[in-house]
Amino acid sequence: MKSRTIFSVASALLLGSALAGAQDYQYPFQNPSLSEDERLDNAVSLMTVDEKIGTVVGQGVPRLGIDNPGSTEAIHGIVRGGANELPNMGFAGQFQQGGEAGQKKQEPQMVNSTAFPQAYGIGETWDREMAHIVGDVMSYEARYYSQMTGRNCLVLWAPNADLARDPRWGRTEESFGEDPYLVGEMVAAEVRGIQGDDPTYWRGASLMKHFLANSNEDNRYSTDSAFGEDLFRDYYSYGFWKGAKAGAKSLMTAYNSYNGVPCMAHDFIKDVLYDEWGMDGTIVDDAGALRFMSSAHHYTKDINESIKLAMEAGLTRFIDSNFDQVKAAYDGGYISDEVLDACTKSNLRTMLKLGLLDAECPYDEMEFGDTAPWETQEFKDKARLVTQKSVVLLKNEDNILPIDTRKVKKIAVFGNRAEKVLKDWYGALPAYSVSPLDGIKAAVEGTDVEVKFQRWDSDGSAQKLAEWADVCIVCVGNHPATSPDWDQMSIQSPWAYGTVAGDGREALDRRSLQLETEDLIKVIWQANHNTVVALISSFPFAINWTQEHVPGIVHLTQCSQELGNGLADVLFGKYNPAGRTTQTWVKDILDLPNLLDYDIKNGRTYMYFQGEPLYPFGYGLSYTSFEYSNLKVDKKRDNFVFSFDLKNVGERDGEEVVQIYAKVSGDDAAKRLRGFDRIFVKAGETQKVEITVPAEDLMLWNSDKHQFELNKGEAQFMVGASSEDIRLTKTMKI
């Protein structure tokens, strides 16, 4: 196990004296030719105790010319503040951390940024490039804000590497899905997008969250996530590990305990994050977690002991602890100088990688032009592309989709999710938004197609409108802020409360999997069987009746500024959908174990689920069809190379998400995702697909040896279009 190296103050000063005399730098830490450790150790040696404590509570070091990096929520767009379309939802900037005022030229207050689909929808793209685009756009806009306002926001609290092991989890919307490999690949891609391609500096610092096993909201401040070492490695920490391998140095710990120890004071911070994975950047607690160690977990006697145990465990920064609080703990002997220096060094490393210790950094003077990034057509197109790719076609009986405007002349739109693009708790505030109704109207503009809308059916008039229409489109789903639908009287629901049992968000788990508005679907379908449902939701619903009766169903998530255009592009055939489910959609809440049962082997996820799903993991349809053939698996050095032919046998160009599953000797899971790619194939053509799976990605954790191993023996490889739609198999010994 590695140990942190702390230079003595005396040796650091001697080094600084020798170098400073030979260079044009006031301090050695400003010299980019020195190693990171040399620079950081010198900076720490020059700081006062108060300045070191300042970094622990999120400050820079103004006396040494080191700016505060600032931070921002960034799940699917950076959150910079501003009013929501709901008048009293003034929560957007609650946890933003900014830099010291007056660092740079002050500009008028800006509140907008590019709004992508929720992370759950980004996951449904099954496309690493889309996750990279989201990260890239967010850090670009973060630099724009930092340069134009003088208020840095360079640490992005993203991506969320938590696993959506249960659809009742209130923050399912923030996760890429239930599978560790899929989540790990998307996390790694977004990390690379956020941090950029420069070999020395980051454009933004990726701070992943929430480590570890944080997928229940109710009582999360005191609950304990209990499971074994194998699930720690093979499941819950896997996505974070992939993010660390992609270059992430920082993360946020979770509120809950893991096997009896609060995550913010757990040994795994040093033993796993720092010593094994090299995550020597900013390790931060979640808001309020410090006080919950004593008041909720009853793990410590007071705030001083909480500070002591957290910092000794390796936590380097407290989100909402003030300077006086940490200084009192230091003065009381709860924090040693060695621990304080180590925490300070980690926090400074983040600032160093962002270029804040240097006179010049490639990102300091980026040329943005006269137009804000989110106002450019390029960024609008990116939001639309990610939205298009996120749409999952769940059902298409008798090819009701895409809608043919040569035949369909009357379209009736219904539902409480048709008129607005809603904002969630951590969503960006876009400069504009296109609602589903607006997108549908725009798609038929210039034609002789007529579109009419009615939200509800309280007097039978909606059924009459449905009878009038050639096709009915019902837009329904949850409210991402759990707020009542009271038009302009809408208000933000109180913290941890909602008005609908099937809704959830941070601090509130779902009480039901039922879609409250499914009765509206029934009423419309009764009047006109040519009905399409657009389920716009942050998580799965048990829409059993709808699946049985309604011929057309699509799913996409909330919040994208291009939601309406992306939906309409799919409904009218401008874009052939290829999104895939990222969770097992169950039929009944009774299919799920207790929400606090974190041992997924008791029936969770496609790997261990024993029932019949409504929609299996990895499921999604297309407007065309694909055939798989000629599977070959070759072992080349430390890689397994899968090659096969993918033929588009339909009449439309389209994409197929090819998925590789494996079951190796000794594995108790039914199968595990080990590779995937989103492949475009023109109609009638055949694409030769080759996917390389490193042997490392086939390994499982050996709890006896405390290491990953590739189990020897017979392995079954499966290639298909979903976890249950396996087209090709091959068994071989490894």
Side-chain angles (χ1 to χ4, degrees), residues 622-695:
S622 170
Y623 295 151
T624 189
S625 299
F626 297 89
E627 288 183 353
Y628 295 62
S629 61
N630 303 322
L631 173 63
K632 295 180 180 179
V633 184
D634 296 317
K635 178 73 162 55
K636 296 182 178 179
R637 295 187 178 88
D638 292 327
N639 297 318
F640 289 82
V641 180
F642 294 78
S643 60
F644 55 93
D645 293 330
L646 181 68
K647 183 176 182 180
N648 185 338
V649 295
E651 297 179 354
R652 290 176 176 266
D653 298 347
E655 295 170 294
E656 175 79 334
V657 176
V658 298
Q659 301 162 42
I660 298 174
Y661 295 87
K663 183 176 177 63
V664 300
S665 176
D667 190 1
D668 55 6
K671 59 177 74 74
R672 296 177 192 263
L673 182 70
R674 296 304 197 187
F676 67 90
D677 204 356
R678 185 162 174 152
I679 308 294
F680 175 80
V681 188
K682 290 185 177 180
E685 294 189 359
T686 299
Q687 184 82 19
K688 187 73 172 180
V689 179
E690 184 174 290
I691 297 177
T692 298
V693 177

Side-chain angles (χ1 to χ4, degrees), residues 18 72 78 109 120 162 168 214 247 340 379 403 531 572 705:
T72 179
I78 63 168
Q109 174 70 18
Y120 194 78
D162 295 320
R168 291 170 293 186
N214 177 193
L340 181 59
F379 280 28
I403 297 169
T531 295
F572 292 94
K705 297 181 180 179

